[in-house]
Amino acid sequence: MEYFDVLNNKREKLNYIKERGKKLNKNEYNTGVEIYITSNNKLLVTQRSLEKSHPLEWEVPGGCVRASESSLYSLKREILEEVSIKLNMNKVMYIGTYLYKKNYVDIYTIEINNLDINKLIKQDEEINDIKLVNESEYNKLNKVKSVESRFNKFKDLM
């Protein structure tokens, strides 16, 4: 079971936690992270597994910040778990936060030269497929709508 810190609308901890998947009440928020990993002018995208919400839709890697984790620690953990990339945290750049419904999403980017996706190990319960795509290919994918709206807001900052 995973738990997360509950925040208020000013992003301050409310000194209690909730189990992931439990409904947030009025004035309760949580935090997520995602990262735009680029390599040779292409973006790393992952396809959600059939067992998850939005099955087989495409997104960038990320996840939920667990209780007592920092956003950066969560990012490092999630990316290692999901796509087996050990991020060089000195090269990760924060590009902004997007409030989506009741979730603060901290968005990061990193350039990894010559990333070989054939060497990545995907977390099967989370991810069906991994691709590196250019902007034209990205635009043709069936994407998670909330991820697409964040991408459109932040793509010029990558």
Side-chain angles (χ1 to χ4, degrees):
M1 250 177 262
E2 289 185 25
Y3 294 89
F4 61 87
D5 292 311
V6 180
L7 311 172
N8 65 18
N9 64 352
K10 295 179 183 173
R11 204 170 178 185
E12 300 164 330
K13 287 185 182 180
L14 295 177
N15 297 318
Y16 60 94
I17 60 175
K18 278 199 168 182
E19 186 179 334
R20 186 165 178 194
K22 297 289 183 186
K23 185 177 175 176
L24 290 166
N25 297 319
K26 186 177 179 179
N27 300 318
E28 289 184 335
Y29 299 80
N30 69 353
T31 303
V33 293
E34 62 188 25
I35 189 165
Y36 301 122
I37 299 172
T38 56
S39 183
N40 305 341
N41 297 314
K42 291 193 171 192
L43 177 67
L44 179 79
V45 292
T46 57
Q47 186 182 46
R48 294 172 67 88
S49 76
L50 282 169
E51 290 76 37
K52 294 189 64 130
S53 63
H54 308 285
L56 302 181
E57 291 183 4
W58 292 88
E59 63 186 354
V60 295
C64 186
V65 175
R66 293 180 183 165
S68 75
E69 277 186 343
S70 70
S71 178
L72 277 172
Y73 181 85
S74 177
L75 180 71
K76 183 178 179 179
R77 175 186 52 76
E78 285 284 352
I79 303 316
L80 186 59
E81 287 174 1
E82 288 184 4
V83 292
S84 72
I85 294 174
K86 187 174 182 179
L87 293 173
N88 178 343
M89 299 310 285
N90 294 325
K91 294 188 176 189
V92 170
M93 293 184 346
Y94 169 78
I95 58 176
T97 297
Y98 186 93
L99 180 59
Y100 177 72
K101 296 183 181 178
K102 298 178 101 2
N103 188 260
Y104 291 101
V105 182
D106 292 335
I107 301 170
Y108 298 89
T109 187
I110 189 171
E111 171 71 26
I112 301 175
N113 293 324
N114 303 313
L115 179 63
D116 184 353
I117 62 168
N118 295 313
K119 292 183 179 177
L120 301 181
I121 301 167
K122 64 182 175 59
Q123 185 180 23
D124 288 333
E125 54 274 4
E126 298 258 343
I127 296 173
N128 185 62
D129 198 4
I130 303 170
K131 287 185 184 184
L132 279 169
V133 296
N134 62 32
E135 190 170 354
S136 170
E137 293 165 326
Y138 176 84
N139 290 331
K140 294 175 186 172
L141 295 174
N142 181 26
K143 297 171 286 299
V144 177
K145 297 299 179 224
S146 62
V147 173
E148 185 173 20
S149 66
R150 289 189 294 274
F151 176 79
N152 289 335
K153 180 175 173 81
F154 290 104
K155 69 180 177 182
D156 295 332
L157 300 175
M158 293 190 300

